[in-house]
Amino acid sequence: MMNKIAIFGLGYVGLPLAIEAHKSGYSIVGIDTSLSKVSQLNSGISTVEDISDDTVSNSLSSDSFKVVTELIGEYIFDVLVICVPTPLNAEHTPDLSYLISATKTAAKFVRPGSLVIIESTVETGTTRETVLPLLTSISGLHDTSFFLAFSPERVDPKNPLWNIRNTPKLVSALNKDGLNAAVKFYSRFIDTIIECSSLEVAETAKLLENSFRLVNISFINEFFIYCQKIGISINEVIHAAASKPYGFMTFYPSIGIGGHCIPIDPIYLANRAKNIGVSTDFIDLAIKVNHQMPLYFVKQAFLRLGTLSKKRILVIGISYKPNMSDTRETPVASLIRELRIEGAEVFWHDDLVEAWNGETSVPLSDEYDLAIIATPHDYLDLTKLRDLPILNTRESIQ
Ligand SMILES: NC(=O)c1ccc[n+]([C@@H]2O[C@H](COP(=O)([O-])OP(=O)(O)OC[C@H]3O[C@@H](n4cnc5c(N)ncnc54)[C@H](O)[C@@H]3O)[C@@H](O)[C@H]2O)c1
């Protein structure tokens, strides 16, 4: 009976997983190396916006749910799930240091029959080539004595419709017994499980999903510039095109991509492709188009004001996505930096983020030369801007 679960990394992926698995009857130990995160959770404060403080308190009030910074003492786990970050390093290539570190810790608790699952996004081959050797060498077990699975997470923070339970889950494993064990584990709290024939298929499917989004978001952003130039509404064009009942999928313009997935995962794919001599022109171009979007809006601001020198500009919304406070890889950082390079005095308003890079959110008001709506949160009351000129990064007719 699989009952005792260790979850390494309690971020946007690991915390919802821990809570949902606990609700379905599993006993959970969450391990996160961030002392502040563990302290917050132990004080009943949620660290993920989709999860309320009450949910965290309720879970942690149970004897079968605890969160710690490290595993000290005797623990026995049936399933060990790894949900740690897989970012880029200074050279802009995959940084597997968190994954390797968490795998090394997990390996110490692997026993015959244990199931280890990687949920972190990785480039094709990482589970077999990097994770498996660490597990076998540290545990001293042969790879037939325990199970190894890869199951990418698809969580879309703040999505009101799709959540961990009703989003179909890809599951893959080193062998058939591992696959059966992983399917059994997830089936208790996830409605639909899709089995993949190999670890590499599931790893690559995750990279395809997010590269697909990157390419399409970039394309619609380029299209946005076209619509702006000819003076028609991009959103009306999208709405009209979307009336076609097949063969079209809507993507909307923005100031660019952000977060821990879309700007990073395609680079994992491109990195592996380059290593095996395959080109990734679509991905390379999409990244380039996206990086240019903040600069495009700097140019638009310049055209509006004649000069940016000493102009007071209010940037509204700095998170990478509306209605959440996540600023990881936000394209708004580049917008603000470039405006300042051009001599503008830049202030920002975002009451969901409040504090960022040593600066704080200013109130919405008309005491500026220009407002740029970078990330439109629902709570914003734009009437406070009165007659202030507005540059909207999501609509071509301003
Ligand atoms: N954020 C998303 O929407 C999303 C969606 C799908 C997949 N993913 C993937 O899931 C993985 C995790 O992403 P996330 O957004 O949850 O990251 P996150 O930064 O929100 O959380 C990761 C947590 O892991 C902790 N951590 C780091 N090293 C550790 C270690 N050695 N042991 C234990 N804990 C450790 C960090 O302190 C952090 O709290 C990444 O590979 C990401 O690409 C993320």
Side-chain angles (χ1 to χ4, degrees):
M1 190 73 175
M2 291 187 299
N3 266 328
K4 297 194 169 82
I5 317 298
I7 297 182
F8 295 83
L10 297 172
Y12 283 90
V13 169
L15 187 62
L17 172 75
I19 286 173
E20 215 48 49
H22 181 251
K23 276 194 216 153
S24 73
Y26 289 119
S27 164
I28 305 290
V29 178
I31 307 100
D32 197 297
T33 47
S34 161
L35 183 59
S36 63
K37 194 167 277 190
V38 169
S39 308
Q40 258 182 286
L41 291 170
N42 279 324
S43 312
I45 301 167
S46 176
T47 48
V48 171
E49 280 154 309
D50 284 331
I51 292 176
S52 69
D53 292 349
D54 280 353
T55 304
V56 169
S57 307
N58 285 343
S59 302
L60 280 158
S61 65
S62 155
D63 290 341
S64 55
F65 194 120
K66 76 185 209 181
V67 298
V68 296
T69 52
E70 55 184 323
L71 294 169
I72 298 171
E74 272 300 299
Y75 283 96
I76 291 182
F77 298 114
D78 303 303
V79 184
L80 303 103
V81 192
I82 297 183
C83 312
V84 296
T86 42
L88 300 175
N89 57 27
E91 288 76 47
H92 231 59
T93 57
D95 172 2
L96 294 186
S97 58
Y98 302 95
L99 179 68
I100 289 172
S101 161
T103 302
K104 284 180 174 171
T105 309
K108 294 179 196 152
F109 296 86
V110 171
R111 291 176 172 70
S114 301
L115 167 64
V116 179
I117 306 175
I118 307 301
E119 285 218 1
S120 298
T121 306
V122 293
E123 63 178 48
T124 315
T126 306
T127 310
R128 193 186 301 271
E129 294 160 20
T130 305
V131 174
L132 181 61
L134 286 172
L135 293 176
T136 49
S137 65
I138 295 171
S139 71
L141 295 173
H142 192 266
D143 64 15
T144 49
S145 299
F146 61 92
F147 306 123
L148 175 60
F150 174 79
S151 180
E153 180 49 61
R154 290 168 153 172
V155 64
D156 181 20
K158 285 284 171 188
N159 189 320
L161 193 60
W162 295 103
N163 51 49
I164 192 165
R165 183 169 277 279
N166 66 4
T167 305
K169 186 114 173 89
L170 298 182
V171 175
S172 63
L174 193 62
N175 53 41
K176 188 67 187 158
D177 288 343
L179 189 62
N180 291 341
V183 168
K184 194 170 162 206
F185 165 65
Y186 285 118
S187 298
R188 255 211 238 170
F189 58 96
I190 290 178
D191 298 341
T192 310
I193 310 284
I194 315 286
E195 297 181 16
C196 296
S197 66
S198 71
L199 295 165
E200 287 73 15
V201 168
E203 288 170 334
T204 312
K206 175 69 189 174
L207 299 177
L208 171 61
E209 289 169 20
N210 283 348
S211 300
F212 174 85
R213 285 191 64 76
L214 167 75
V215 168
N216 282 287
I217 291 168
S218 305
F219 175 62
I220 209 70
N221 281 340
E222 192 175 65
F223 214 86
F224 170 95
I225 294 170
Y226 170 74
C227 288
Q228 182 153 55
K229 190 78 181 171
I230 58 175
I232 60 174
S233 159
I234 176 85
N235 289 318
E236 197 184 340
V237 171
I238 294 168
H239 184 71
S243 63
K244 183 177 175 180
Y246 51 87
F248 185 82
M249 186 178 278
T250 50
F251 285 86
Y252 292 96
S254 65
I255 188 172
I257 48 164
H260 186 30
C261 295
I262 313 292
I264 293 171
D265 299 355
I267 297 175
Y268 271 62
L269 176 65
N271 188 64
R272 177 54 62 117
K274 279 181 189 116
N275 286 343
I276 58 170
V278 174
S279 65
T280 51
D281 295 346
F282 269 103
I283 291 173
D284 301 346
L285 181 61
I287 290 170
K288 184 175 153 220
V289 168
N290 256 294
H291 280 159
Q292 287 168 349
M293 288 312 290
L295 299 176
Y296 173 75
F297 290 107
V298 171
K299 190 171 162 208
Q300 294 306 304
F302 178 83
L303 292 175
R304 283 285 181 93
L305 298 172
T307 174
L308 293 176
S309 178
K310 304 223 166 30
K311 295 293 183 189
R312 287 165 54 83
I313 297 181
L314 177 64
V315 172
I316 300 172
I318 61 160
S319 57
Y320 84 89
K321 185 174 173 177
N323 304 321
M324 60 185 296
S325 65
D326 193 347
T327 54
R328 290 179 297 177
E329 309 288 328
T330 178
V332 188
S334 165
L335 173 74
I336 292 175
R337 190 175 53 248
E338 295 299 330
L339 288 168
R340 284 179 177 155
I341 287 172
E342 294 300 322
E345 282 181 61
V346 185
F347 304 82
W348 56 266
H349 168 86
D350 193 322
D351 282 348
L352 299 183
V353 176
E354 291 175 350
W356 175 69
N357 283 354
E359 299 174 12
T360 48
S361 174
V362 299
L364 282 179
S365 80
D366 61 353
E367 294 161 10
Y368 301 91
D369 296 304
L370 178 72
I372 303 179
I373 302 176
T375 305
H377 300 307
D378 287 347
Y379 83 83
L380 293 169
D381 177 8
L382 297 179
T383 60
K384 291 181 178 161
L385 301 178
R386 297 174 207 274
D387 294 329
L388 186 63
I390 296 175
L391 200 58
N392 189 343
T393 61
R394 308 228 165 191
E395 179 51 88
S396 45
I397 292 187
Q398 318 254 328

